[in-house]
Amino acid sequence: MSIANALKIGFASVVLMSSSMVSAEVIKVAVASNFTHPIKEIAKNFEQDTQNKVELSFGSSGKFYAQIANGAPYEVFLSADQAKPKRLADEGMAIADTQFTYAEGQLVLWSKDPQKVDPLGKVLDEDSFNRLALANPKLAPYGLAALQTLETLELVDKTRTKWVKGVNIAQTYQYVDTLNADIGFVALSQITENHKITQGSAWIVPDEFYLPIKQDAIIVKGAERNATAQAFLDYLRSNSAQKIIQSYGYKIE
Amino acid sequence: MHLTEEDLQAIWLTLKLASTVTLLLLVIATPLAWWLGRTSSKFKAPIAALFSLPLILPPTVLGFYLLLAMGPNGWVGQLTQSLGIGLLPFTFWGLVVASIVYSLPFAVYPIQNAVEQLGDRPMEVAATLGAGPLDRFFNVALPLLKPGIFSAAVLTFAHTVGEFGIVLMIGGNIPNETRVIAVQMYDHVEALEYVEAHGLAALMLAFSFIVLLLLYGLRHKRNVPHGAMQ
């Protein structure tokens, strides 16, 4: 083999390698904890369909905000609210025109006890529960929705002494799940699988009792020209992804 | 710097929690460390290992298991209910119990080290001079163990003030009951109220620095040999 041929082969293999790298991109996605289950399923499908790889990190939106504002290497941020993606965009740390609502959360009053919560949520007005768990309204969108619901029902003052506040909706769920709180406001998605509530008793709070819990996605600064990140957001909007999102107890727009 | 009513409540609660835990832990840890430092029992190693386990689990995970244990179906929960105390999670005393578990190694090891360094000699001398066991412990051993006990107290206090994962888990963020300064700061950070968070953090560091400075200064004075005082 001549030197020229060897060079040709070497060059070709470099081209091949780099082209295969283009077709198998890795993107890092920061995901609000409440969306853990649906995004795992969606990411798996996306990986199968496109040969790209999605690395998911789960955590609170507040922490992700702080990390991304300080240059964390995520390409996509799926927040639990609209405020944090917007603030990142305002600060130039995310791309404003990529922000959209990928899911809408539904609030539910839940107990592990199959008899505890009646279909109209009247249990809130009774003295039959020890503690009422809710996420911290200052920090978590589901906590704010819980507070708005109690305000709608004019039960804030009556129930306040029984509140225990989780730092996020996952911890609030644990308070009820471990029976330390008889009842609690959690996300419908936490107790739903395949469109069904898996255990206990629940009251799905009517939409008009609280402002919509819109969860927004956004592309992070530095990934504005990343085709895989854009493809992933498009995939999130596709019918098949939206079906998965609905099956976990979220509404879609 | 502007402190809100809630900040002040959280600061007061934290000091109350750390002092309570420190006092109780010294009472619990001293006899335990005494035994560990002097025994040649075959149970020594397993028991020492057991009490170090709280250092292994991440605090929020440890908090989660305490939540399970202290809950209505947990063995601690059933015990406290049958004793008529009720359930511990989301109460001040629940935090005290959890903090004692969490800080136990920090209290035991400095005292155990002091006991081991002490050796048998002072106690034997005291015995030949006719001192009874209690007399020996309180009048001979304890004064000699002071530096170890002092370190245990400082470490326990500081560890409890800075404790976060466990109180977050079993506290439930109740004002004046379980919302300590660490949780209050975390709330500020998560709510993106960074200015308030910086203020509290600075105050907490400054306060702790002054307290530790005073304590170490005090200890240094005490350690000055008698000859030098004259």
Side-chain angles (χ1 to χ4, degrees), chain A residues 60-63 65-66 84 87 130-131 136 138-139 163-168 171 174-175 177-181, chain B residues 64 67-68 70-73 87 89-91 168-174 179 186-188 190-194:
Chain A
S60 82
S61 302
K63 271 193 229 69
Y65 165 83
K84 291 181 187 84
R87 187 154 157 183
N130 62 352
R131 311 264 189 190
N136 191 335
K138 208 170 105 182
L139 310 180
W163 289 1
V164 285
K165 287 187 270 180
V167 71
N168 53 39
Q171 200 182 58
Q174 283 160 354
Y175 286 161
D177 188 52
T178 57
L179 304 177
N180 281 294
Chain B
F64 176 68
L67 192 65
L68 280 178
M70 293 174 171
N73 284 352
L87 291 169
F90 318 128
T91 65
L168 188 73
M169 208 64 202
I170 65 164
N173 203 337
I174 300 167
R179 189 196 286 154
Y186 180 79
D187 279 4
H188 283 315
E190 285 281 291
L192 315 187
E193 296 164 355
Y194 293 162

Side-chain angles (χ1 to χ4, degrees), chain A residues 231-249:
Chain A
F232 185 68
L233 282 198
D234 291 341
Y235 196 85
L236 199 55
R237 263 188 277 225
S238 70
N239 277 338
S240 63
Q242 296 277 299
K243 263 191 204 134
I244 293 172
I245 295 173
Q246 273 180 313
S247 77
Y248 281 99

Side-chain angles (χ1 to χ4, degrees), chain B residues 12 24 32 43 79 102 106 114 116 142 152 158 177 192 194 207:
Chain B
W12 168 240
L24 287 176
L32 188 63
F43 295 112
L79 180 72
Y102 184 50
F106 289 83
E116 281 164 359
L142 267 191
E177 181 84 25
L192 315 187
Y194 293 162
F207 169 80

Side-chain angles (χ1 to χ4, degrees), chain A residues 191-231:
Chain A
I191 57 168
T192 300
E193 237 178 81
N194 282 326
H195 301 276
K196 279 201 202 75
I197 291 175
T198 48
Q199 58 172 338
S201 52
W203 169 52
I204 299 177
V205 181
D207 291 349
E208 61 271 21
F209 283 26
Y210 59 93
L211 295 171
I213 307 168
K214 292 191 179 191
Q215 307 196 176
D216 277 17
I218 197 162
I219 288 185
V220 176
K221 185 188 145 195
E224 49 267 61
R225 276 181 214 90
N226 187 319
T228 313
Q230 189 55 57

Side-chain angles (χ1 to χ4, degrees), chain A residues 42-75:
Chain A
I42 292 167
K44 208 175 89 194
N45 293 352
F46 177 75
E47 288 180 341
Q48 278 167 4
D49 290 0
T50 68
Q51 307 303 317
N52 292 307
K53 186 149 173 36
V54 183
E55 281 176 2
L56 301 168
S57 304
F58 303 101
S60 82
S61 302
K63 271 193 229 69
F64 282 134
Y65 165 83
Q67 291 173 345
I68 293 168
N70 289 291
Y74 298 109
E75 273 85 31

